[in-house]
Amino acid sequence: MEIFDFFVNLYYEIRTFAPITQIVVISILFSSSLIITLFIYLSMMRYYYKKFSKHQEKLKPQIKNLFKEILFGDRIYTESEIENDYVKIVKKLNRENITLAIDILLEIKFRSKKKSDRYSKIVDALEFDNYLEKKLNFSKNSTKVKTLQKLQLLDLKELDAKVIPLAYSKNKELRREARFSHLHLSTNDPYRFLDEIKGDLSYWDEINLMKLLKIHKEKNQLNNLGKWINYSDNISLIIFLIKAAGNFKQEDTKEILFNKLKHTNYKVRKESYKSLGKIKAIEYEEYLMNHFFTEHEECQLAIIESIGDMNTGNAVDFLRRAYEDAKSVHLKKEIALVTYNYKAKYNLFEDLKSGQTGFDKTIFNHIETQLIKFK
Amino acid sequence: MAGEYFFEYFIFFYSTILIASYLMLAIFSIISIIKYKSYNSNLDDETLYNSDIAPGISVVAPAYNEEKTIITNVHSLLTLEYPLFEVVIVNDGSKDKTLEKLIEEFELVEVPYAYIERIKTKPFKRIFKSTNPEFDKLTIVDKENGGTKADASNAGINASVFPYFLCTDVDCILARNTLLKMIKPVLVEKKKVIAVGATLRMVNSCEVKKGRITRVRPPRDLIPRFQELEYIRAYLLSKMGWSLVNCVPNVSGGLGMFDKDVAIRSGGYDGRSHAEDMDLITRMVSYMINNKLKYKIGYIPLSCCWTEGPPNAKILSTQRTRWAAGLIQLFVVHRKILFNPKFKRMGLIVFPYAFVFEFLAPIIEVCGVISIIYLILFGKINWDLAGLVFLYSYSFAVMISILVVIWDNITFKYYRNFSEVLKLILVAFLEPFLYHPMITFFGITGYFKFLSSRELAWGTMTRKGVES
């Protein structure tokens, strides 16, 4: 009661002050009480952090050893043995300890030089799928995003059905990650969401999509991307897929890429030129050379790169004319680089170099200097 | 009498608006931090690190008379984790053995290099590359001394090959995942991200092994410890807070990632500026606005860079006098931006806020001190009210500092023990008495020196070097 009386008295005393003094006094009381509260909060935060990290530091080496033994050892563990051995270490199979197990397993999977086909044994024994499924159903969006990333890394294909509803989430990060996960996990129709991408792709989208397409390629499950290049009305997606078709050397897309050279958007043309080079579509080399002098500068650079990738030995005269016509240093450098690596009977590089003086000569010296890694 | 009251009321309202703005920034900042932590993880680093299409980054670091630390720090820069990067060290006409040490350690030879002077600098002399394939990412630019970090950085930008460059000081120690973390805001945004910043801290008492931070500690000495708190507050509260509404005023010269094309088109760093980092951001933003291009300046809450802070008041005064001169110079050079709606957020939020609460603050504080002295001398002071007003700002300043320490701990727990966190909190209580008056004095000195056109010492700081 004394404290209550104190505050009541304080309230009436403050009311007698001038308005500015009232504000000042209330602010001081507010700040002071907040200082104490924040300090207590910080102390608690640090206390629990220390307790938690001590606990983890103690368990981590034991769990790592167990998992390494299961994954790379001679003995084949049964699921119940894995579960029992894990519970022996952590005492209780709760949420915190399963998260720890997932993190350690992923660390071993991506950091260890040894490969194993027994990852799924640990996943099944400790029922990671049940735990992650619950997380997908009952957690906040940011946790769902991280859970989806873990599904991909653990390759939990059986949870694909749980991913699809999230692919229509209002939260754009969650929607994006769910679509990536579907592309990774689905066995029936992984490319379903390529048709539904709206708006420009970010660079991060491209990096993730390329990673997933690469996984499909490694498993020989990569579809011909020409279908989407042809019919998509999303320019940003078309540009990305043209790039991917080139990267994965999809020869079946040649004709579609060639048709894209007539596109009004120079970025589409630029990527098509590059990809035709990567695919080594030498039948279109002449077309590329004929269109060089009327193209946008970025497309000119792409054509030169493409001619270099094709490396047919038939473009010596063209490269000479292109160099003589080139105004920008970038273009001159690119042509010099291509001629340096060009396999033709005639040494165009030396010929061009001998006619140069000043900075233009330095470009050629720069190109042939092996110590310069990034030209 | 009316004049006295006017000043008292003015001070009260000024500090109240400042307090309100800090509270607003604290809220903005925690929203940004939570958002960042929610949608970024170390799993992203794996994805990016293994990507074949990640954009290349050039790490540009100027060096002037850095023979003590150059070798360890270049080794450290070369061990950064990123799939495609180069390290460009600019020897800005060092008078000591910086260049000789580099040549010896990294087995360098002079090479013909198609150096294009896209930004004008003092004459470039030559370029060195290593004959050891282990150091093939390293490029050393040797140039005549330009007298400023800006001139050397510009030469590094000219020699760089990738579309983004990360500007740092050669004596700074970067976290190994700095590039992976700092490029992420550029990659996720659909708008053009012209620059990205991250938090800097003091290296003074940290444990460093082979150019890598192995244990973070708050500085033992008081002045660097004050700066640690000041830096965390400036980066985590202010810049992180402003990033929520795309109003980041500045990306530090110690650590900043920039879009090279926009930086070059904006003219690069200005060698005549005393605050070249803020000047560059101002010109990059002006360039984007003048060309009706959408832009964003990103910020990440992580501490990625550790730098040696001035260990004593003398060196601190040189640094802060220059910063203050840089601030006044910025408002003189870019005066047309201030309160100009054509420059949108820059003209109506960033510049006015910096003008009123950063540029004017030391002037108002000095006026306040003079006014108090006058009131004391003439016996007109109301001690009770003066005490209350002091407590008003003091309690708020301490509260904000503790809040920032919590934000820092939410972001990542850099200090191992709570006792180390307490050391930082202790300086929050001392700062208004010891550190803040010094900073105000140096600020006023900087303005005075700029206005009286007196020569300012450039950022050459006597370094102890990091124990390794």
Side-chain angles (χ1 to χ4, degrees):
Chain A
M1 283 306 280
E2 277 179 14
I3 293 173
F4 180 73
D5 289 343
F6 170 77
F7 280 111
V8 171
N9 289 336
L10 187 69
Y11 171 74
Y12 282 110
E13 204 176 330
I14 290 171
R15 283 194 65 181
T16 62
F17 298 157
I20 286 183
T21 317
Q22 280 184 26
I23 295 169
V24 168
V25 170
I26 289 166
S27 299
I28 294 168
L29 290 172
F30 170 75
S31 299
S32 310
S33 45
L34 212 57
I35 287 171
I36 297 164
T37 315
L38 291 175
F39 187 78
I40 294 168
Y41 174 73
L42 184 62
S43 315
M44 302 276 278
M45 184 204 276
R46 293 296 309 205
Y47 170 76
Y48 286 114
Y49 168 72
K50 190 154 192 180
K51 200 177 152 192
F52 179 72
S53 39
K54 249 188 175 177
H55 176 70
Q56 289 218 333
E57 271 170 35
K58 201 177 116 192
L59 296 181
K60 261 188 172 178
Q62 296 178 56
I63 300 171
K64 257 189 190 174
N65 287 341
L66 173 68
F67 284 0
K68 280 184 179 170
E69 182 58 35
I70 297 166
L71 295 169
F72 312 117
D74 297 330
R75 192 179 143 205
I76 305 292
Y77 283 73
T78 63
E79 284 183 13
S80 60
E81 280 174 334
I82 295 172
E83 192 190 341
N84 290 339
D85 286 2
Y86 188 71
V87 173
K88 257 186 223 165
I89 297 171
V90 297
K91 309 286 183 259
K92 202 174 158 191
L93 204 56
N94 57 16
R95 215 170 43 173
E96 190 185 295
N97 291 329
I98 295 181
T99 310
L100 184 62
I102 294 174
D103 291 343
I104 292 174
L105 185 67
L106 288 176
E107 197 184 314
I108 296 172
K109 190 172 177 182
F110 292 100
R111 293 280 153 91
S112 174
K113 284 173 188 163
K114 288 185 196 167
K115 296 281 165 215
S116 168
D117 53 4
R118 298 181 208 158
Y119 291 103
S120 58
K121 280 206 165 243
I122 300 175
V123 172
D124 295 339
L126 300 179
E127 295 179 358
F128 287 174
D129 47 352
N130 284 345
Y131 167 72
L132 293 172
E133 189 180 341
K134 274 182 204 156
K135 273 201 151 185
L136 282 185
N137 290 334
F138 307 109
S139 54
K140 55 183 179 180
N141 287 338
S142 57
T143 313
K144 283 180 185 166
V145 169
K146 284 172 188 162
T147 308
L148 287 167
Q149 289 178 332
K150 286 181 183 172
L151 289 190
Q152 292 175 48
L153 296 170
L154 292 167
D155 212 12
L156 286 175
K157 292 194 186 301
E158 54 272 29
L159 289 184
D160 175 44
K162 294 281 165 193
V163 170
I164 292 174
L166 302 176
Y168 295 99
S169 164
K170 281 181 184 167
N171 179 296
K172 68 174 182 188
E173 277 86 5
L174 180 58
R175 190 170 63 234
R176 183 178 59 192
E177 201 58 53
R179 289 176 180 201
F180 290 154
S181 297
H182 179 74
L183 180 52
H184 185 117
L185 302 172
S186 172
T187 41
N188 300 327
D189 185 14
Y191 304 96
R192 168 178 174 171
F193 293 110
L194 278 188
D195 296 320
E196 295 183 32
I197 293 175
K198 300 272 180 285
D200 288 350
L201 293 176
S202 69
Y203 210 123
W204 187 240
D205 293 333
E206 291 193 20
I207 285 173
N208 276 288
L209 282 170
M210 198 65 94
K211 176 187 86 175
L212 297 167
L213 294 179
K214 197 175 166 187
I215 292 169
H216 281 255
K217 169 81 179 169
E218 281 163 3
K219 291 178 183 168
N220 282 326
Q221 290 168 352
L222 183 63
N223 273 20
N224 185 338
L225 300 171
K227 180 181 138 192
W228 291 281
I229 296 172
N230 229 356
Y231 298 114
S232 175
D233 52 5
N234 183 335
I235 295 288
S236 169
L237 181 67
I238 292 173
I239 292 171
F240 167 75
L241 292 170
I242 292 172
K243 198 190 288 178
N247 271 5
F248 300 120
K249 303 201 176 358
Q250 291 203 323
E251 293 193 14
D252 298 347
T253 58
K254 267 185 204 176
E255 211 168 306
I256 293 164
L257 295 180
F258 177 69
N259 288 334
K260 290 291 170 195
L261 297 182
K262 290 152 196 151
H263 203 283
T264 49
N265 187 317
Y266 81 89
K267 288 180 184 169
V268 175
R269 296 201 305 277
K270 177 183 119 180
E271 227 39 77
S272 304
Y273 284 125
K274 281 187 182 177
S275 289
L276 283 170
K278 283 178 188 160
I279 296 171
K280 295 194 187 295
I282 54 172
E283 59 270 41
Y284 301 121
E285 187 181 34
E286 202 164 333
Y287 179 91
L288 265 58
M289 293 192 281
N290 290 340
H291 282 75
F292 175 84
F293 296 98
T294 52
E295 263 296 10
H296 187 279
E297 192 187 331
E298 285 196 37
C299 293
Q300 287 187 324
L301 278 163
I303 291 173
I304 297 297
E305 203 181 310
S306 191
I307 298 282
D309 285 335
M310 290 176 185
N311 212 350
T312 58
N314 301 328
V316 173
D317 288 339
F318 162 74
L319 287 169
R320 183 196 301 279
R321 275 194 295 130
Y323 185 83
E324 284 162 1
D325 191 66
K327 301 282 181 293
S328 86
V329 176
H330 292 299
L331 196 53
K332 282 183 178 178
K333 250 175 121 176
E334 190 61 41
I335 298 169
L337 184 63
V338 167
T339 56
Y340 183 69
N341 296 314
Y342 209 61
K343 284 176 194 154
K345 285 177 190 165
Y346 183 70
N347 193 337
L348 179 62
F349 181 84
E350 284 303 328
D351 188 27
L352 283 176
K353 186 184 162 189
S354 62
Q356 307 303 318
T357 53
F359 185 74
D360 285 345
K361 181 131 191 161
T362 311
I363 292 177
F364 283 83
N365 291 331
H366 175 115
I367 294 298
E368 65 182 343
T369 305
Q370 295 298 313
L371 297 178
I372 301 172
K373 187 180 181 185
F374 308 112
K375 306 287 184 188
Chain B
M1 277 304 268
E4 279 167 28
Y5 280 123
F6 171 77
F7 190 71
E8 279 172 20
Y9 276 104
F10 171 74
I11 292 290
F12 174 75
F13 285 114
Y14 179 83
S15 47
T16 305
I17 294 168
L18 184 63
I19 284 171
S21 75
Y22 267 97
L23 286 174
M24 178 197 76
L25 283 175
I27 295 165
F28 282 6
S29 157
I30 194 65
I31 294 171
S32 301
I33 292 169
I34 290 171
K35 218 169 145 187
Y36 180 84
K37 284 197 60 104
S38 299
Y39 295 109
N40 290 278
S41 72
N42 291 338
L43 299 176
D44 297 339
D45 294 356
E46 292 282 342
T47 301
L48 188 52
Y49 187 69
N50 294 311
S51 174
D52 302 325
I53 59 166
I57 303 171
S58 303
V59 178
V60 175
Y64 177 69
N65 291 347
E66 303 274 0
E67 64 176 12
K68 262 189 192 174
T69 54
I70 190 88
I71 300 302
T72 317
N73 292 332
V74 172
H75 273 297
S76 167
L77 290 175
L78 288 168
T79 59
L80 290 172
E81 289 171 350
Y82 194 72
L84 186 63
F85 77 101
E86 62 169 346
V87 175
V88 182
I89 305 292
V90 186
N91 175 48
D92 193 26
S94 296
K95 289 177 186 135
D96 65 359
K97 291 190 172 162
T98 302
L99 186 61
E100 288 81 348
K101 286 200 166 187
L102 284 169
I103 291 172
E104 194 188 329
E105 175 69 18
F106 296 103
E107 301 159 50
L108 303 174
V109 290
E110 193 179 333
V111 292
Y113 197 92
Y115 175 90
I116 306 164
E117 198 178 61
R118 281 166 285 195
I119 309 169
K120 188 93 187 128
T121 67
K122 281 274 174 184
F124 147 87
K125 287 192 215 161
R126 55 201 165 154
I127 288 215
F128 292 93
K129 293 290 294 182
S130 175
T131 51
N132 185 343
E134 202 186 323
F135 309 124
D136 59 2
K137 290 188 177 88
L138 180 65
T139 301
I140 305 290
V141 179
D142 185 29
K143 67 177 275 288
E144 274 182 24
N145 181 261
T148 63
K149 188 190 158 193
D151 192 67
S153 301
N154 286 339
I157 298 167
N158 287 338
S160 66
V161 295
F162 293 125
Y164 296 96
F165 70 90
L166 179 120
C167 213
T168 184
D169 292 328
V170 83
D171 54 291
C172 285
I173 295 176
L174 304 187
R176 291 183 85 181
N177 59 2
T178 299
L179 300 178
L180 293 168
K181 295 291 183 195
M182 288 189 72
I183 194 75
K184 183 85 191 291
V186 176
L187 303 177
V188 292
E189 266 298 326
K190 288 179 185 172
K191 258 188 226 169
K192 195 170 191 65
V193 177
I194 57 171
V196 182
T199 304
L200 270 85
R201 293 176 103 99
M202 297 295 122
V203 76
N204 295 50
S205 295
C206 295
E207 278 175 28
V208 181
K209 270 182 198 153
K210 293 183 180 170
R212 281 180 64 192
I213 301 274
T214 52
R215 171 92 156 82
V216 180
R217 283 202 183 93
R220 268 184 290 271
D221 296 336
L222 214 49
I223 286 186
R225 208 189 306 168
F226 280 131
Q227 287 168 82
E228 174 103 338
L229 182 65
E230 186 191 23
Y231 273 36
I232 297 172
R233 199 169 49 225
Y235 288 100
L236 219 50
L237 185 106
S238 178
K239 291 178 185 177
M240 198 66 208
W242 283 124
S243 74
L244 186 75
V245 285
N246 198 19
C247 285
V248 177
N250 179 19
V251 169
S252 164
L255 180 72
M257 183 176 285
F258 302 88
D259 181 298
K260 189 167 88 176
D261 185 50
V262 178
I264 289 174
R265 284 173 194 273
S266 313
Y269 287 104
D270 184 354
R272 293 160 301 178
S273 173
H274 298 294
E276 66 279 0
D277 43 8
M278 194 166 175
D279 178 79
L280 176 65
I281 283 291
T282 306
R283 278 183 294 110
M284 285 174 81
V285 170
S286 304
Y287 169 82
M288 297 302 281
I289 291 170
N290 287 334
N291 288 284
K292 297 186 171 54
L293 300 168
K294 286 188 174 174
Y295 72 93
K296 190 168 168 32
I297 299 171
Y299 225 87
I300 60 167
L302 302 174
S303 298
C304 292
C305 177
W306 279 262
T307 183
E308 195 179 338
N312 56 46
K314 194 181 164 201
I315 299 170
L316 182 71
S317 92
T318 313
Q319 185 194 56
R320 296 309 164 98
T321 306
R322 186 168 69 85
W323 287 6
L327 193 64
I328 187 170
Q329 185 186 31
L330 189 86
F331 287 114
V332 171
V333 174
H334 299 287
R335 58 190 174 278
K336 66 176 181 188
I337 294 175
L338 193 63
F339 300 113
N340 187 343
K342 190 195 148 197
F343 289 92
K344 298 176 183 174
R345 290 163 207 235
M346 176 70 116
L348 298 176
I349 301 174
V350 179
F351 257 55
Y353 186 86
F355 182 77
V356 176
F357 295 117
E358 286 178 29
F359 171 69
L360 289 182
I363 299 168
I364 291 169
E365 284 181 43
V366 168
C367 291
V369 171
I370 294 168
S371 150
I372 287 173
I373 293 170
Y374 165 80
L375 292 173
I376 293 171
L377 288 178
F378 290 90
K380 288 178 179 175
I381 194 157
N382 179 341
W383 286 105
D384 290 342
L385 189 63
L388 277 177
V389 170
F390 170 74
L391 271 179
Y392 172 58
S393 46
Y394 178 75
S395 59
F396 181 78
V398 173
M399 189 268 282
I400 278 292
S401 294
I402 297 179
L403 202 66
V404 167
V405 174
I406 292 180
W407 277 198
D408 185 45
N409 274 271
I410 289 173
T411 305
F412 192 83
K413 289 163 188 70
Y414 290 96
Y415 301 141
R416 196 182 288 171
N417 303 321
F418 186 50
S419 59
E420 291 167 343
V421 180
L422 284 179
K423 282 183 185 172
L424 208 59
I425 289 178
L426 173 73
V427 294
F429 285 93
L430 300 177
E431 191 189 9
F433 300 109
L434 302 176
Y435 187 67
H436 189 73
M438 271 200 289
I439 296 300
T440 305
F441 175 72
F442 299 147
I444 292 290
T445 314
Y447 296 165
F448 176 74
K449 281 191 175 172
F450 178 80
L451 292 172
S452 59
S453 305
R454 282 170 64 180
E455 204 178 305
L456 288 149
W458 274 100
T460 46
M461 193 178 96
T462 313
R463 298 191 187 279
K464 286 180 178 174
V466 180
E467 291 161 38
S468 213

